[in-house]
Amino acid sequence: MISQENGSGTPMSAAASTNQGQRPQPVTLRQVAEAAGVSTATVSLVVNKKKSARIAEETRHRVLDAIRELGYRPNAMAQTLVSGSSRFIGLVADAIATTPFAGQIIHGAQDEAWKHGFALLIANTEGNRELETDAIAMMLEYKVRGILYSTWFHRATELPAPLRESDFVLVNCFSAEPGARAVVPDEIQGGRSATEILLKHGHRRIAFINATIPAPAKDGRLQGYKEALEAEGITFDDGLVLEAYPDQEGGYGAAQELLKLGATAVYCYNDRMAMGLYDGLREQGLSIPDDIAVVGFDNQEVIAAHLRPPLSTVSLPHYELGAAGVRMLLGLEEPQATAPTKIYCPTVERNSVRALAPA
Amino acid sequence: MISQENGSGTPMSAAASTNQGQRPQPVTLRQVAEAAGVSTATVSLVVNKKKSARIAEETRHRVLDAIRELGYRPNAMAQTLVSGSSRFIGLVADAIATTPFAGQIIHGAQDEAWKHGFALLIANTEGNRELETDAIAMMLEYKVRGILYSTWFHRATELPAPLRESDFVLVNCFSAEPGARAVVPDEIQGGRSATEILLKHGHRRIAFINATIPAPAKDGRLQGYKEALEAEGITFDDGLVLEAYPDQEGGYGAAQELLKLGATAVYCYNDRMAMGLYDGLREQGLSIPDDIAVVGFDNQEVIAAHLRPPLSTVSLPHYELGAAGVRMLLGLEEPQATAPTKIYCPTVERNSVRALAPA
DNA sequence: TTGAAAGCGCTAACAT
DNA sequence: ATGTTAGCGCTTTCAA
């Protein structure tokens, strides 16, 4: 006799501790009920801690013990089938898991969802319309509570048709569609904040290197810049606004032209441009922040926090966008009347700006 | 008579096109069956395109039409309840949505999962053990087909207990646990490849700036460096190996010491160090790649592709890790006998290395 | 305080 | 070729 029987007759193979062998059939409510000598209704009642029905302490314990002993886990599928709606929230993203920092949208959404007992079902679609439709269909089939439709950069979007079959909220994008709730970053306030960092350090002649490609961010960040200037009584000067492709190369290339402007400070459309600008400026023999102050936008950690000197910038609130999207979906947060809800972009000050020495 | 009745009696409210109003009850299989004048079994048969049972073309069409008209969508929960296993794959990650490039693991997993008809259920746990347990429990309750347990950097890990209740694969991490399947990047090959980029450009005196913190990457990348050298008949010189904290500041700080070594090329533990090293080298008046060649590791896009000059490096195959994890989970790919399966790290050549001028 | 039973939407024998 | 029926695991009246 080499092998040993176990009394219960449950197959207890050697592979039980690995994940390769046959997994045992999951324990059901009914089995718990039998083991505890009660009805399934009773077990259901104690599992769900229903306040209404009062269960005898003694019974409750018997059930709890049986649950523990058998290692029972509720079958969420059965629960959902009965209730009609799952504890899922779908997140369809065009490139969010691909793109460096926008993954924070997932993170924020998942934390907030979790807080309310929901799990995230995600689909990365690369903007592929067909994939999107399939993803949404699948979410619908799994009876998600609602769908977050998000984009990796702030922009207008067309709603995929099946989205309307579900409760949904747009995240980091918006649509003309009436009744479509949306959360987006407050680009204008962000632009204002970025400019104010410079302003409060005494800078008056501030250049802005904007992006060449059209986007809400392009308009909003410029608008904020103007507002901040105006609030300080500085007349907006068109000549101080440059445009370049919004990446490192664009920023690098803008250095020469920037120098001609006689500005003591620059505000860049984004951190990547600032990174390129650092190189360009350095090649011209200028030092940051002594010769010229620089602020960016986005707060792209890998870059901004580790440039020399570390870059002062404004955060894109991706985490908050995801979280707010979930709250709005669950009806925990009122959408703004007509326009998308704007999320605040906080300022992050590091060492790329120094007080301007009095002339 | 202004409004129009629709024959079916379905409520067709004005809010139907928005997502705020009451959503109509989803259409069921039974309703389709009634509309088409057939049994539910028949509808099920055509919906699932069962090859076995032959349905009359005419009937098939009636059913299909009814489906289209009513806008029927199968209830995946009911399907799962019957079949016992859902089309979900769970992905629990310690920080993957948070961290810049490892989001690619999600991406790869989701593409591969999708390809086989599975959806991804993700949970970001920040390494919080309790959260992990809850996340896994929830996945178990939703009857996931299996779980991918992943970490944002390659390391050893302890398995959370409930993981064993499911089929699982470790991604970017590994465990001593027997029978635990795992996929990890091939750090040694990566280190070899990085060094070979330099070697094939004629460099013989190659420094390596390793990380100070212990990790499989630290050992593997060094090991690969040694192997590559050895293959070229170059004796490994301990003095050529520096150590620094693996970020920009660490790389910057290593510049001085590096210069004393008289190397014509450096291989950095990662791209972030290389980024810092660029600054340090530049301050010492050296130019890359003319005075010294540099290669990194990780291929962190935002950095490597946009440094001046763009950095030659070796990719961490995050996308592939996710995809391979899924394939292994689904039994489409055989795990290597005992050790974790190693994924190839491809080389990405840009402009930070130039052929060494003959002395 | 607890149990019996119906039914959520679907699939899969088994009949016809 | 298609219909009948019995569950899948759970929640929820309604009775007892």
Side-chain angles (χ1 to χ4, degrees):
Chain A
M1 242 309 190
I2 290 176
S3 74
Q4 216 175 315
E5 292 287 332
N6 60 354
S8 68
T10 308
M12 197 66 158
S13 76
S17 69
T18 86
N19 64 122
Q20 310 274 31
Q22 284 317 303
R23 214 148 286 293
Q25 275 294 102
V27 178
T28 71
L29 227 199
R30 176 190 242 73
Q31 294 173 39
V32 174
E34 275 161 16
V38 297
S39 76
T40 59
T42 305
V43 178
S44 175
L45 257 18
V46 345
V47 167
N48 298 302
K49 303 185 184 56
K50 286 283 182 212
K51 304 304 260 180
S52 53
R54 26 214 66 268
I55 306 288
E57 257 315 284
E58 202 269 329
T59 321
R60 230 172 59 79
H61 266 85
R62 272 218 318 284
V63 173
L64 258 16
D65 286 350
I67 288 178
R68 202 165 317 113
E69 233 142 87
L70 271 47
Y72 168 73
R73 283 191 193 286
N75 181 330
M77 296 297 173
Q79 293 178 155
T80 300
L81 183 55
V82 173
S83 72
S85 160
S86 74
R87 303 294 285 180
F88 284 137
I89 288 175
L91 173 59
V92 358
D94 64 347
I96 249 171
T98 325
T99 226
F101 56 161
Q104 288 292 350
I105 292 183
I106 298 186
H107 191 204
Q110 115 102 43
D111 279 3
E112 188 70 24
W114 205 267
K115 203 178 294 178
H116 303 288
F118 283 86
L120 259 206
L121 201 48
I122 80 152
N124 203 260
T125 61
E126 296 300 312
N128 177 329
R129 216 60 186 181
E130 200 182 339
L131 245 178
E132 264 182 5
T133 304
D134 289 354
I136 295 173
M138 170 240 113
M139 290 173 176
L140 257 16
E141 293 177 10
Y142 276 101
K143 303 295 170 208
V144 293
R145 170 52 222 281
I147 296 179
L148 260 29
Y149 182 85
S150 75
T151 52
W152 76 273
F153 73 96
H154 181 185
R155 61 182 176 84
T157 189
E158 294 288 314
L159 303 185
L163 196 54
R164 278 175 270 262
E165 287 180 46
S166 166
D167 214 8
F168 69 93
V169 170
L170 305 179
V171 174
N172 211 23
C173 55
F174 56 90
S175 145
E177 194 96 2
R181 289 168 294 171
V183 281
V184 298
D186 191 341
E187 306 279 4
I188 299 184
Q189 165 269 314
R192 224 186 299 121
S193 293
T195 312
E196 283 165 0
I197 297 176
L198 266 8
L199 252 11
K200 84 170 180 208
H201 280 88
H203 294 276
R204 309 276 298 173
R205 192 163 174 80
I206 301 171
F208 175 36
I209 310 184
N210 205 352
T212 41
I213 53 181
K218 180 181 178 180
D219 302 336
R221 294 175 193 186
L222 173 60
Q223 171 71 16
Y225 165 77
K226 288 182 183 171
E227 291 182 8
L229 255 28
E230 190 167 336
E232 284 290 302
I234 301 174
T235 320
F236 168 69
D237 175 0
D238 212 357
L240 251 25
V241 178
L242 267 30
E243 288 194 355
Y245 192 82
D247 68 358
Q248 284 92 327
E249 287 73 13
Y252 177 80
Q256 295 260 21
E257 204 179 338
L258 172 66
L259 256 30
K260 299 188 198 136
L261 267 30
T264 63
V266 217
Y267 150 39
C268 295
Y269 174 81
N270 69 17
D271 293 349
R272 301 181 60 182
M273 291 179 90
M275 176 175 167
L277 185 64
Y278 267 47
D279 285 339
L281 256 18
R282 199 156 22 207
E283 278 187 18
Q284 304 294 318
L286 294 206
S287 126
I288 302 165
D290 295 323
D291 298 325
I292 188 161
V294 179
V295 305
F297 203 115
D298 287 1
N299 191 30
Q300 201 161 352
E301 273 294 314
V302 256
I303 293 182
H306 300 282
L307 248 17
R308 307 197 58 82
L311 180 67
S312 292
T313 187
V314 168
S315 271
L316 233 23
H318 286 114
Y319 182 95
E320 259 312 313
L321 285 169
V326 167
R327 283 195 299 272
M328 192 162 294
L329 187 69
L330 297 180
L332 271 24
E333 194 161 297
E334 282 311 307
Q336 283 171 19
T338 57
T341 295
K342 308 256 189 317
I343 305 290
Y344 187 83
C345 301
T347 239
V348 180
E349 299 205 41
R350 289 193 265 246
N351 309 306
S352 59
V353 180
R354 165 166 311 177
L356 188 65
Chain B
M1 247 298 196
I2 290 173
S3 75
Q4 217 172 316
E5 290 289 332
N6 61 354
S8 68
T10 310
M12 199 60 160
S13 78
S17 68
T18 87
N19 64 120
Q20 309 274 27
Q22 283 317 302
R23 214 147 287 292
Q25 276 295 103
V27 178
T28 70
L29 225 201
R30 178 190 239 73
Q31 294 173 41
V32 174
E34 277 162 14
V38 298
S39 77
T40 59
T42 306
V43 179
S44 176
L45 257 19
V46 346
V47 167
N48 298 304
K49 305 185 183 54
K50 286 281 183 215
K51 305 303 260 180
S52 53
R54 26 213 68 269
I55 307 289
E57 258 314 286
E58 202 268 327
T59 322
R60 233 173 57 79
H61 266 85
R62 272 218 317 286
V63 173
L64 258 15
D65 285 349
I67 287 178
R68 205 166 314 112
E69 233 142 86
L70 271 44
Y72 168 75
R73 283 189 194 287
N75 181 330
M77 296 297 173
Q79 293 178 154
T80 300
L81 183 55
V82 173
S83 72
S85 161
S86 75
R87 302 295 285 182
F88 284 136
I89 288 175
L91 172 59
V92 357
D94 64 347
I96 251 172
T98 325
T99 226
F101 56 159
Q104 288 293 352
I105 292 184
I106 298 185
H107 191 204
Q110 114 101 45
D111 280 3
E112 188 70 23
W114 206 268
K115 202 178 295 176
H116 303 288
F118 284 86
L120 257 207
L121 202 48
I122 80 150
N124 202 260
T125 62
E126 296 300 313
N128 176 330
R129 217 61 186 180
E130 200 181 339
L131 245 179
E132 262 182 5
T133 305
D134 290 354
I136 295 173
M138 173 246 98
M139 289 173 175
L140 257 16
E141 293 178 10
Y142 276 101
K143 303 293 170 211
V144 293
R145 169 53 220 279
I147 296 179
L148 259 31
Y149 182 85
S150 76
T151 52
W152 76 273
F153 74 95
H154 181 184
R155 62 183 175 84
T157 189
E158 293 288 313
L159 304 186
L163 195 53
R164 278 174 270 261
E165 288 180 46
S166 166
D167 214 8
F168 70 92
V169 170
L170 305 179
V171 174
N172 211 23
C173 55
F174 56 90
S175 146
E177 194 96 4
R181 289 168 294 171
V183 279
V184 299
D186 191 342
E187 306 279 3
I188 299 182
Q189 165 269 315
R192 225 186 299 120
S193 294
T195 313
E196 284 165 359
I197 297 177
L198 268 7
L199 253 12
K200 83 170 178 208
H201 281 88
H203 294 275
R204 307 276 299 173
R205 193 164 175 79
I206 300 171
F208 175 36
I209 310 184
N210 205 350
T212 41
I213 53 180
K218 180 181 178 179
D219 302 336
R221 294 176 193 186
L222 173 60
Q223 172 71 18
Y225 164 77
K226 288 182 184 171
E227 291 183 7
L229 255 29
E230 190 168 336
E232 284 290 301
I234 300 175
T235 319
F236 168 70
D237 175 0
D238 211 358
L240 249 26
V241 179
L242 267 30
E243 289 195 355
Y245 192 82
D247 68 359
Q248 285 91 328
E249 287 73 13
Y252 177 79
Q256 295 259 22
E257 204 178 338
L258 172 66
L259 256 29
K260 300 189 197 134
L261 267 31
T264 63
V266 215
Y267 150 39
C268 295
Y269 175 79
N270 69 17
D271 293 349
R272 301 181 60 182
M273 292 179 90
M275 174 174 167
L277 185 63
Y278 267 48
D279 285 340
L281 255 19
R282 196 154 27 204
E283 277 186 19
Q284 304 293 318
L286 295 206
S287 126
I288 303 165
D290 296 322
D291 299 324
I292 188 160
V294 179
V295 306
F297 203 115
D298 287 0
N299 192 30
Q300 201 161 351
E301 274 294 316
V302 256
I303 293 182
H306 300 282
L307 249 17
R308 307 196 57 81
L311 180 68
S312 291
T313 187
V314 168
S315 271
L316 233 21
H318 286 114
Y319 182 96
E320 259 312 312
L321 285 168
V326 167
R327 283 194 299 272
M328 192 162 294
L329 187 68
L330 297 179
L332 271 26
E333 193 161 298
E334 282 312 306
Q336 283 171 18
T338 59
T341 295
K342 308 256 189 316
I343 305 290
Y344 186 83
C345 300
T347 239
V348 180
E349 300 205 40
R350 289 194 265 246
N351 310 305
S352 59
V353 180
R354 165 167 311 177
L356 189 64

